[in-house]
Amino acid sequence: MTRTDPHSYFDDRQPRADRWHLRLLVDFDSRVVGGEATLMFPRPVAGIMDLDSKGLAIHRVWVTVSGVEVPFELGPEEPILGRRLRLTLPEATHGVSIAYETSPEAVGLQWLEPAQTEGRRHPFLFSQCQAIHARTLVPCQDSAVARVSYEAEVVVPEGLTAVMSAGPQGDGPGPFPGSRAFHFRMPQPIPSYLLALAVGELESRELSPRSRVWAEPATIGRAAWEFAGVEEMIVKAEGLFGPYDWERYDLLVLPPSFPYGGMENPRMTFLTPTLLAGDRSLVDVVAHELAHSWTGNLVTNATAEHFWLNEGFTVWAERRILRTLHGEEACAAAWAIGQNALDESMDRFRTHPELTLLRTRLEGVDPDEAFSSIPYEKGARLVAVIEQAVGEAAFLDFLHAYMRRFRFTSITTEQFCAFVEERLPGVLGQVDADRWLHQPGMPANAPVFRSASLDAITALAGAWTAGTRPAQPVMRAWSPSELLVYLQNLPRSMGLEDCAWLDRELDLTARGNYEILVEWLCLAAASGYHPAFGRIAEVLGRVGRMKYLRPLYGALGRHAETRALARATFAQAAAGYHSLSRRVIEGVLAQYPD
Ligand code: BES
Ligand code: ZN
C-alpha cells in the first residue's frame, strides 16, 4: 500500500472516489454542519478504503442505494492529520454514504456572530479548506491527487444565501419550515482543498456575462465598483494562458475576519474586504486568484510539498496580467514589493532553512506552519529565470503545452521537471534549477527587477536618515505601490517628529489601502508613535487577515513599551479571529518575554 501524501491517509492502491454528493444542513445555533456525504466510484469496488477526517462525528456508513451497513473504524487522533476513517467496502460497491457531523471547532469553518458582519443582523459562515482542512467538513480522501467532481444540497436558515465553489443549480424551500435549500454542481474534477462554502446575508451584482460579485448588502456597492474591471482581466488572462475553463468567474467578498487576501475557490474566488480600497489599487489579488484558474486549479500541486507549483507560477502569472493591464512600471513595483516579502520570510525562517527550499519535505510538519512567501516569491523567480533563459514567446508556448498535458491533474515537482526536460532540454541545468528547488536561500542567478523610478524611490528612502525628505509634488505623483515601496525602504523605526511628518504629509493613518496602512502602522508601532495607536487597535480588532496581523503584532510585541498593548488587544480581539489567525498570533506573542 502506498501513501503518496504526508498529510493524508489517501492510499493510491485503494478504491478512489471520483464524485461526491453532499447533503449539508447548516446549524448556526450549535455551530455544526450535519452532513451526509456520498462518495461514488467510477466502477464497482471492494475492500479497505482509508479516508481523512478531523473532528467529525461519524454516525453511520452504508452502501449507497442498497443500504447495507459498511463496517468502519476511526483511528487515533493525530495532531496534524486528524483521524483515519477506515471503511471496509463489500463487493461491487458503487458508492458509499456517510452520515456525520462537523465539530464546532472545525478549523475549516469560521462561524461569525451577527456583530462580526457588516450588516450586524445575520450570522455568517465560511469555509477555508486549503491545505488540509476539507477533512474537518467532509470525510474524504483529502489529498490533491484524488480529484473529484461534486454535487451539493445545502440547507440554511431562510433569509440567508449559500454559495459554493460550484455552479448554482437553483434554490427552493428547505425540508422544514424556516429553511431554504440551495443546489450546486461542480462538473470538473477538483482537489478536495477547493471545496468551499459560504452562508450569509448576501447580494450579488453582475460585472459581466460570466462574472458577478457577491457581498453583504452593506458592501455590495463598493465591491461592484472595486472589481468592475474583472472581465478585462479574464480576457487578458485568456490571451496569455488559453481559454477560461470553468464557465463562470464569480467573486465573494467576505467579512473582515477572512484570514487570507484571497482564495481561488473555483468559480467563486473568496476575497478579504480589505481589498475595497476605493481606488482599485489592490485588484492584483484578484489577478492572482484568477490566474489560479490555470495554475493551481487546472494544474495542481500533488501535495503541500509541491506548493510552489501552485503559488510560484501564479505569482508569475499575476504579474504578467498586471504588466499587460498596467505596464512595465507597475509590474516592476509588484516584483519589488514581493522581494520585500521574500526577504522577510527568509529572515523568519533563518533557523528553519529547510522551509526555504521550493521542493519541501513536510512529513510531520503542519502546512499552515510552513506557509510563507517563499513558495510564492522564490517560486515566481524560478519561473522568471526559466522564462528569461528561453525567451518570452518560447516560454508561453511551453506553458500552453504544460497546461494541455497536465490539465485537471495534480503533479509533483519531479513531474514538472521531467516535462521541462522533455520540452526545453538543458534549460533546467542552465538555470541551476536543482539549486532553486533543493537548496535553502536564494540562488545567485535570481533575477532582479528594477526600474528607474523604483531606483529613485529606494534611493530617496535610503537618504531619509541623512535628512532627505521628498517634496510634496513628488510624493503625490507616486502610485499606491510606489508609496508602499518607499515606506518599506524607510528605517524600521524612527523618531516621533519624523513619524508625525510622514503622517501629516502623506495622511497615512487615514489610508483606506490596507497595504499602505499596515506598513505605516508597523512603522508607527515600532516607533512608539502614540497618535496611531487607536488606529492600530481598530485594525487589529476588525481585520483577521494573517498577512496584516503577523507584522502588526510583531511590531508591537518587539518593544517593551507596546507589548502590553499587543497582549491586551489580542485578548480582546482573539475571539473574533479565525482559528488559523489566532494560532499564528499566539506564536508571534510567545516569542516575547512577559
Ligand atoms: N491559495 C492562496 C491562499 C492559501 C494558501 C490558503 C495556502 C491556504 C493555504 C491564495 O491564492 C493566495 O495566495 N492568496 C494571497 C494573495 C496574494 C499572493 C496576491 C493572500 O491571501 O495574500
Ligand atoms: Zn495563490
Side-chain angles (χ1 to χ4, degrees):
M1 298 214 276
T2 331
R3 278 177 54 196
T4 53
D5 184 336
H7 299 117
S8 173
Y9 286 108
F10 168 71
D11 184 323
D12 68 355
R13 308 238 185 122
Q14 298 178 355
R16 188 189 296 208
D18 68 347
R19 217 149 35 96
W20 294 350
H21 190 147
L22 307 176
R23 293 174 58 196
L24 306 175
L25 173 64
V26 176
D27 182 14
F28 282 96
D29 293 330
S30 59
R31 298 192 157 190
V32 163
V33 175
E36 195 182 292
T38 296
L39 314 183
M40 282 165 285
F41 305 98
R43 63 193 73 80
V45 299
I48 287 179
M49 180 189 195
D50 291 329
L51 302 181
D52 296 295
S53 83
K54 201 170 190 180
L56 300 180
I58 307 296
H59 298 317
R60 197 165 87 79
V61 186
W62 66 97
V63 175
T64 313
V65 185
S66 79
V68 170
E69 291 285 325
V70 169
F72 70 89
E73 176 201 305
L74 266 177
E77 174 81 33
E78 297 290 336
I80 299 170
L81 275 88
R83 299 177 78 178
R84 186 184 73 187
L85 174 59
R86 171 162 284 187
L87 313 181
T88 307
L89 304 174
E91 286 308 312
T93 300
H94 285 270
V96 62
S97 298
I98 305 167
Y100 70 96
E101 273 175 19
T102 61
S103 148
E105 274 75 52
V107 179
L109 295 172
Q110 191 181 10
W111 301 85
L112 301 179
E113 296 294 336
Q116 291 175 272
T117 66
E118 220 54 73
R120 306 187 141 261
R121 284 188 306 151
H122 297 281
F124 202 103
L125 168 68
F126 67 82
S127 70
Q128 170 53 50
C129 289
Q130 198 181 13
I132 55 167
H133 305 308
R135 68 194 63 178
T136 69
L137 268 74
V138 180
C140 63
Q141 295 173 308
D142 196 8
S143 176
V145 291
R147 302 177 79 103
V148 290
S149 56
Y150 76 85
E151 277 175 47
E153 175 192 301
V154 184
V155 176
V156 306
E158 200 153 31
L160 301 189
T161 299
V163 297
M164 290 192 85
S165 55
Q169 300 285 302
D171 56 285
F176 45 83
S179 72
R180 196 151 186 91
F182 289 80
H183 299 268
F184 302 92
R185 204 168 80 88
M186 167 47 83
Q188 288 100 338
I190 58 164
S192 49
Y193 75 78
L194 291 178
L195 175 73
L197 168 69
V199 181
E201 189 190 8
L202 292 173
E203 240 183 61
S204 75
R205 292 270 177 88
E206 195 166 287
L207 302 173
S208 87
R210 58 175 158 180
S211 184
R212 55 176 57 239
V213 60
W214 290 88
E216 286 190 64
T219 316
I220 190 69
R222 286 163 63 214
W225 186 86
E226 203 83 31
F227 304 127
V230 71
E231 178 62 29
E232 197 188 345
M233 255 184 205
I234 304 173
V235 170
K236 291 282 191 270
E238 287 188 305
L240 287 166
F241 314 122
Y244 179 75
D245 263 320
W246 304 87
E247 293 166 49
R248 297 197 53 85
Y249 183 69
D250 294 334
L251 306 170
L252 170 67
V253 179
L254 288 135
S257 68
F258 186 60
Y260 290 98
M263 177 64 211
E264 66 272 26
N265 299 131
R267 298 178 184 229
M268 185 66 73
T269 281
F270 283 22
L271 296 170
T272 166
T274 60
L275 301 185
L276 304 175
D279 61 3
R280 298 180 180 154
S281 57
L282 298 176
V283 292
D284 54 334
V285 176
V286 177
H288 177 97
E289 305 314 334
L290 171 65
H292 272 306
S293 306
W294 289 266
T295 51
N297 297 0
L298 211 48
V299 183
T300 307
N301 56 209
T303 75
E305 293 184 333
H306 309 279
F307 186 52
W308 82 273
L309 283 176
N310 274 21
E311 298 301 344
F313 266 92
T314 300
V315 167
W316 173 87
E318 161 207 333
R319 293 190 185 143
R320 289 302 304 269
I321 296 174
L322 194 67
R323 198 179 78 183
T324 40
L325 280 174
H326 301 301
E328 211 60 71
E329 282 289 333
C331 185
W335 282 104
I337 292 163
Q339 184 68 49
N340 187 73
L342 178 57
D343 295 344
E344 183 277 327
S345 290
M346 286 290 176
D347 185 51
R348 180 153 61 87
F349 283 162
R350 67 191 172 279
T351 54
H352 285 285
E354 74 284 0
L355 294 178
T356 69
L357 314 186
L358 285 179
R359 200 307 190 195
T360 49
R361 305 279 165 181
L362 298 179
E363 181 94 52
V365 181
D366 185 333
D368 290 325
E369 302 280 334
F371 184 85
S372 79
S373 291
I374 287 161
Y376 290 78
E377 298 294 341
K378 185 179 177 182
R381 282 160 179 75
L382 171 57
V383 175
V385 92
I386 295 173
E387 180 189 28
Q388 287 171 7
V390 301
E392 278 190 16
F395 188 71
L396 260 193
D397 286 346
F398 163 79
L399 207 66
H400 292 152
Y402 171 62
M403 284 184 299
R404 259 196 318 277
R405 168 73 178 77
F406 293 114
R407 50 192 274 110
F408 295 115
T409 69
S410 305
I411 66 166
T412 62
T413 304
E414 294 70 40
Q415 283 172 286
F416 167 74
C417 288
F419 188 72
V420 180
E421 202 48 39
E422 180 189 319
R423 292 294 169 129
L424 304 168
V427 75
L428 291 178
Q430 197 185 322
V431 304
D432 201 2
D434 263 353
R435 167 85 178 76
W436 283 84
L437 295 168
H438 305 297
Q439 299 291 322
M442 284 305 287
N445 66 339
V448 230
F449 299 89
R450 297 177 55 176
S451 76
S453 91
L454 279 181
D455 285 350
I457 289 168
T458 322
L460 254 179
W464 176 274
T465 348
T468 307
R469 301 290 177 271
Q472 251 312 332
V474 172
M475 294 191 290
R476 227 173 292 134
W478 287 339
S479 69
S481 298
E482 288 172 329
L483 171 55
L484 182 58
V485 170
Y486 180 71
L487 293 176
Q488 287 180 340
N489 282 284
L490 288 176
R492 289 301 79 200
S493 84
M494 43 178 62
L496 299 183
E497 284 299 307
D498 285 348
C499 286
W501 186 90
L502 276 173
D503 199 9
R504 191 177 59 240
E505 296 294 311
L506 290 161
D507 202 14
L508 292 171
T509 304
R511 290 273 164 161
N513 175 317
Y514 269 77
E515 294 292 322
I516 292 170
L517 177 65
V518 171
E519 186 63 33
W520 156 245
L521 293 178
C522 287
L523 185 56
S527 310
Y529 179 65
H530 284 260
F533 285 8
R535 184 81 161 128
I536 292 175
E538 182 197 325
V539 168
L540 293 178
R542 202 182 90 85
V543 173
R545 186 175 175 188
M546 293 187 279
K547 181 182 182 188
Y548 299 144
L549 297 185
R550 187 198 292 279
L552 258 179
Y553 276 107
L556 289 174
R558 218 161 290 133
H559 301 276
E561 319 84 73
T562 45
R563 202 166 295 145
L565 177 62
R567 293 199 204 283
T569 308
F570 182 62
Q572 267 223 325
Y577 291 158
H578 193 285
S579 59
L580 290 170
S581 309
R582 214 178 301 138
R583 212 170 60 194
V584 162
I585 301 316
E586 280 163 0
V588 168
L589 294 181
Q591 291 169 27
Y592 303 109
D594 280 315

PDB file of all heavy atoms in Angstrom, residues 15 47 54 63 65 71 100 122 154 191 304 315 366 381 389 405 410 429 468 527:
ATOM      1  N   PRO A  15      -9.615   1.817  -3.496  1.00  0.00           N
ATOM      2  CA  PRO A  15     -10.648   2.437  -4.331  1.00  0.00           C
ATOM      3  C   PRO A  15     -10.574   3.959  -4.228  1.00  0.00           C
ATOM      4  O   PRO A  15     -10.320   4.504  -3.151  1.00  0.00           O
ATOM      5  CB  PRO A  15     -11.955   1.925  -3.713  1.00  0.00           C
ATOM      6  CG  PRO A  15     -11.590   0.664  -3.019  1.00  0.00           C
ATOM      7  CD  PRO A  15     -10.174   0.824  -2.565  1.00  0.00           C
ATOM      8  N   GLY A  47     -13.290  -3.659  -0.658  1.00  0.00           N
ATOM      9  CA  GLY A  47     -12.092  -3.701   0.181  1.00  0.00           C
ATOM     10  C   GLY A  47     -11.921  -2.466   1.042  1.00  0.00           C
ATOM     11  O   GLY A  47     -12.833  -1.658   1.205  1.00  0.00           O
ATOM     12  N   LYS A  54     -11.337  14.911  10.547  1.00  0.00           N
ATOM     13  CA  LYS A  54     -10.807  15.633  11.704  1.00  0.00           C
ATOM     14  C   LYS A  54     -11.968  16.265  12.451  1.00  0.00           C
ATOM     15  O   LYS A  54     -12.699  17.083  11.883  1.00  0.00           O
ATOM     16  CB  LYS A  54      -9.794  16.686  11.252  1.00  0.00           C
ATOM     17  CG  LYS A  54      -8.853  17.117  12.361  1.00  0.00           C
ATOM     18  CD  LYS A  54      -7.720  17.974  11.827  1.00  0.00           C
ATOM     19  CE  LYS A  54      -6.677  18.171  12.925  1.00  0.00           C
ATOM     20  NZ  LYS A  54      -5.558  18.989  12.478  1.00  0.00           N
ATOM     21  N   VAL A  63     -23.759   1.236   2.190  1.00  0.00           N
ATOM     22  CA  VAL A  63     -23.623   1.190   0.739  1.00  0.00           C
ATOM     23  C   VAL A  63     -24.779   1.983   0.138  1.00  0.00           C
ATOM     24  O   VAL A  63     -25.937   1.761   0.482  1.00  0.00           O
ATOM     25  CB  VAL A  63     -23.653  -0.267   0.223  1.00  0.00           C
ATOM     26  CG1 VAL A  63     -23.624  -0.292  -1.317  1.00  0.00           C
ATOM     27  CG2 VAL A  63     -22.486  -1.049   0.792  1.00  0.00           C
ATOM     28  N   VAL A  65     -27.708   3.283  -2.063  1.00  0.00           N
ATOM     29  CA  VAL A  65     -28.822   2.567  -2.695  1.00  0.00           C
ATOM     30  C   VAL A  65     -29.218   1.312  -1.906  1.00  0.00           C
ATOM     31  O   VAL A  65     -30.308   1.254  -1.361  1.00  0.00           O
ATOM     32  CB  VAL A  65     -28.576   2.200  -4.186  1.00  0.00           C
ATOM     33  CG1 VAL A  65     -29.839   1.574  -4.780  1.00  0.00           C
ATOM     34  CG2 VAL A  65     -28.197   3.454  -4.978  1.00  0.00           C
ATOM     35  N   PRO A  71     -18.880  -1.623   7.650  1.00  0.00           N
ATOM     36  CA  PRO A  71     -18.101  -1.525   8.880  1.00  0.00           C
ATOM     37  C   PRO A  71     -17.073  -0.395   8.766  1.00  0.00           C
ATOM     38  O   PRO A  71     -16.449  -0.234   7.708  1.00  0.00           O
ATOM     39  CB  PRO A  71     -17.386  -2.885   8.969  1.00  0.00           C
ATOM     40  CG  PRO A  71     -17.982  -3.745   7.908  1.00  0.00           C
ATOM     41  CD  PRO A  71     -18.660  -2.872   6.922  1.00  0.00           C
ATOM     42  N   TYR A 100     -22.756  12.090   9.186  1.00  0.00           N
ATOM     43  CA  TYR A 100     -21.756  12.612  10.131  1.00  0.00           C
ATOM     44  C   TYR A 100     -22.120  14.018  10.570  1.00  0.00           C
ATOM     45  O   TYR A 100     -23.066  14.641  10.055  1.00  0.00           O
ATOM     46  CB  TYR A 100     -20.367  12.611   9.467  1.00  0.00           C
ATOM     47  CG  TYR A 100     -20.249  13.649   8.356  1.00  0.00           C
ATOM     48  CD1 TYR A 100     -19.695  14.912   8.611  1.00  0.00           C
ATOM     49  CD2 TYR A 100     -20.736  13.386   7.078  1.00  0.00           C
ATOM     50  CE1 TYR A 100     -19.619  15.875   7.611  1.00  0.00           C
ATOM     51  CE2 TYR A 100     -20.661  14.341   6.077  1.00  0.00           C
ATOM     52  CZ  TYR A 100     -20.099  15.584   6.340  1.00  0.00           C
ATOM     53  OH  TYR A 100     -20.027  16.534   5.369  1.00  0.00           O
ATOM     54  N   HIS A 122     -27.356  39.251  10.739  1.00  0.00           N
ATOM     55  CA  HIS A 122     -27.406  37.805  10.488  1.00  0.00           C
ATOM     56  C   HIS A 122     -26.038  37.182  10.732  1.00  0.00           C
ATOM     57  O   HIS A 122     -25.013  37.828  10.516  1.00  0.00           O
ATOM     58  CB  HIS A 122     -27.827  37.537   9.036  1.00  0.00           C
ATOM     59  CG  HIS A 122     -29.195  38.020   8.728  1.00  0.00           C
ATOM     60  ND1 HIS A 122     -30.320  37.328   9.084  1.00  0.00           N
ATOM     61  CD2 HIS A 122     -29.609  39.158   8.116  1.00  0.00           C
ATOM     62  CE1 HIS A 122     -31.386  38.011   8.691  1.00  0.00           C
ATOM     63  NE2 HIS A 122     -30.989  39.135   8.098  1.00  0.00           N
ATOM     64  N   VAL A 154     -27.441  22.291   0.111  1.00  0.00           N
ATOM     65  CA  VAL A 154     -27.100  22.937   1.370  1.00  0.00           C
ATOM     66  C   VAL A 154     -28.347  23.586   1.948  1.00  0.00           C
ATOM     67  O   VAL A 154     -28.961  24.443   1.297  1.00  0.00           O
ATOM     68  CB  VAL A 154     -26.004  24.009   1.155  1.00  0.00           C
ATOM     69  CG1 VAL A 154     -25.584  24.611   2.484  1.00  0.00           C
ATOM     70  CG2 VAL A 154     -24.791  23.403   0.459  1.00  0.00           C
ATOM     71  N   PRO A 191      -9.328  19.193  -6.726  1.00  0.00           N
ATOM     72  CA  PRO A 191      -8.774  18.657  -5.486  1.00  0.00           C
ATOM     73  C   PRO A 191      -9.675  19.048  -4.318  1.00  0.00           C
ATOM     74  O   PRO A 191     -10.365  20.080  -4.385  1.00  0.00           O
ATOM     75  CB  PRO A 191      -7.421  19.357  -5.382  1.00  0.00           C
ATOM     76  CG  PRO A 191      -7.574  20.616  -6.179  1.00  0.00           C
ATOM     77  CD  PRO A 191      -8.532  20.294  -7.280  1.00  0.00           C
ATOM     78  N   ALA A 304       1.222  19.381  -0.458  1.00  0.00           N
ATOM     79  CA  ALA A 304       1.740  20.662   0.034  1.00  0.00           C
ATOM     80  C   ALA A 304       3.255  20.772  -0.153  1.00  0.00           C
ATOM     81  O   ALA A 304       3.810  21.866  -0.120  1.00  0.00           O
ATOM     82  CB  ALA A 304       1.364  20.852   1.504  1.00  0.00           C
ATOM     83  N   VAL A 315       2.043  33.644  -8.964  1.00  0.00           N
ATOM     84  CA  VAL A 315       2.591  34.989  -8.775  1.00  0.00           C
ATOM     85  C   VAL A 315       3.200  35.482 -10.092  1.00  0.00           C
ATOM     86  O   VAL A 315       2.987  36.634 -10.496  1.00  0.00           O
ATOM     87  CB  VAL A 315       3.639  35.003  -7.634  1.00  0.00           C
ATOM     88  CG1 VAL A 315       4.422  36.300  -7.641  1.00  0.00           C
ATOM     89  CG2 VAL A 315       2.941  34.803  -6.289  1.00  0.00           C
ATOM     90  N   ASP A 366       3.061  20.735   9.859  1.00  0.00           N
ATOM     91  CA  ASP A 366       1.749  21.271   9.505  1.00  0.00           C
ATOM     92  C   ASP A 366       1.921  22.275   8.351  1.00  0.00           C
ATOM     93  O   ASP A 366       2.690  23.221   8.472  1.00  0.00           O
ATOM     94  CB  ASP A 366       1.184  21.979  10.748  1.00  0.00           C
ATOM     95  CG  ASP A 366      -0.234  22.471  10.528  1.00  0.00           C
ATOM     96  OD1 ASP A 366      -0.600  22.746   9.372  1.00  0.00           O
ATOM     97  OD2 ASP A 366      -0.958  22.595  11.526  1.00  0.00           O
ATOM     98  N   ARG A 381      10.325  33.595  -9.029  1.00  0.00           N
ATOM     99  CA  ARG A 381      11.628  33.949  -9.591  1.00  0.00           C
ATOM    100  C   ARG A 381      12.253  32.788 -10.360  1.00  0.00           C
ATOM    101  O   ARG A 381      12.943  32.993 -11.355  1.00  0.00           O
ATOM    102  CB  ARG A 381      12.546  34.491  -8.488  1.00  0.00           C
ATOM    103  CG  ARG A 381      12.194  35.951  -8.159  1.00  0.00           C
ATOM    104  CD  ARG A 381      12.684  36.411  -6.814  1.00  0.00           C
ATOM    105  NE  ARG A 381      12.322  37.828  -6.599  1.00  0.00           N
ATOM    106  CZ  ARG A 381      11.087  38.257  -6.308  1.00  0.00           C
ATOM    107  NH1 ARG A 381      10.096  37.390  -6.164  1.00  0.00           N
ATOM    108  NH2 ARG A 381      10.838  39.554  -6.170  1.00  0.00           N
ATOM    109  N   ALA A 389      15.631  32.482 -19.699  1.00  0.00           N
ATOM    110  CA  ALA A 389      16.593  31.610 -20.388  1.00  0.00           C
ATOM    111  C   ALA A 389      16.103  31.201 -21.776  1.00  0.00           C
ATOM    112  O   ALA A 389      16.903  31.069 -22.696  1.00  0.00           O
ATOM    113  CB  ALA A 389      16.878  30.373 -19.546  1.00  0.00           C
ATOM    114  N   ARG A 405      -0.955  19.269 -21.288  1.00  0.00           N
ATOM    115  CA  ARG A 405      -0.513  17.954 -20.834  1.00  0.00           C
ATOM    116  C   ARG A 405      -1.086  17.597 -19.444  1.00  0.00           C
ATOM    117  O   ARG A 405      -1.452  16.462 -19.191  1.00  0.00           O
ATOM    118  CB  ARG A 405       1.018  17.949 -20.797  1.00  0.00           C
ATOM    119  CG  ARG A 405       1.670  16.777 -20.092  1.00  0.00           C
ATOM    120  CD  ARG A 405       1.566  15.483 -20.901  1.00  0.00           C
ATOM    121  NE  ARG A 405       2.240  14.391 -20.210  1.00  0.00           N
ATOM    122  CZ  ARG A 405       1.735  13.739 -19.169  1.00  0.00           C
ATOM    123  NH1 ARG A 405       0.539  14.050 -18.717  1.00  0.00           N
ATOM    124  NH2 ARG A 405       2.419  12.792 -18.564  1.00  0.00           N
ATOM    125  N   SER A 410      -3.006  16.574 -10.838  1.00  0.00           N
ATOM    126  CA  SER A 410      -2.227  17.128  -9.727  1.00  0.00           C
ATOM    127  C   SER A 410      -0.841  16.513  -9.785  1.00  0.00           C
ATOM    128  O   SER A 410      -0.712  15.290  -9.804  1.00  0.00           O
ATOM    129  CB  SER A 410      -2.913  16.786  -8.400  1.00  0.00           C
ATOM    130  OG  SER A 410      -4.262  17.248  -8.438  1.00  0.00           O
ATOM    131  N   GLY A 429      19.306  22.660 -16.241  1.00  0.00           N
ATOM    132  CA  GLY A 429      20.721  22.728 -15.884  1.00  0.00           C
ATOM    133  C   GLY A 429      21.263  24.142 -16.043  1.00  0.00           C
ATOM    134  O   GLY A 429      21.979  24.656 -15.180  1.00  0.00           O
ATOM    135  N   THR A 468      17.070  63.694   4.124  1.00  0.00           N
ATOM    136  CA  THR A 468      16.376  63.990   2.854  1.00  0.00           C
ATOM    137  C   THR A 468      14.888  63.683   2.980  1.00  0.00           C
ATOM    138  O   THR A 468      14.493  62.607   3.419  1.00  0.00           O
ATOM    139  CB  THR A 468      16.973  63.149   1.711  1.00  0.00           C
ATOM    140  OG1 THR A 468      18.384  63.357   1.697  1.00  0.00           O
ATOM    141  CG2 THR A 468      16.372  63.539   0.366  1.00  0.00           C
ATOM    142  N   SER A 527       7.931  52.536  16.358  1.00  0.00           N
ATOM    143  CA  SER A 527       8.487  53.821  16.773  1.00  0.00           C
ATOM    144  C   SER A 527       7.817  54.362  18.027  1.00  0.00           C
ATOM    145  O   SER A 527       8.163  55.442  18.493  1.00  0.00           O
ATOM    146  CB  SER A 527       8.322  54.855  15.642  1.00  0.00           C
ATOM    147  OG  SER A 527       8.798  54.341  14.424  1.00  0.00           O
TER     148      SER A 527
END
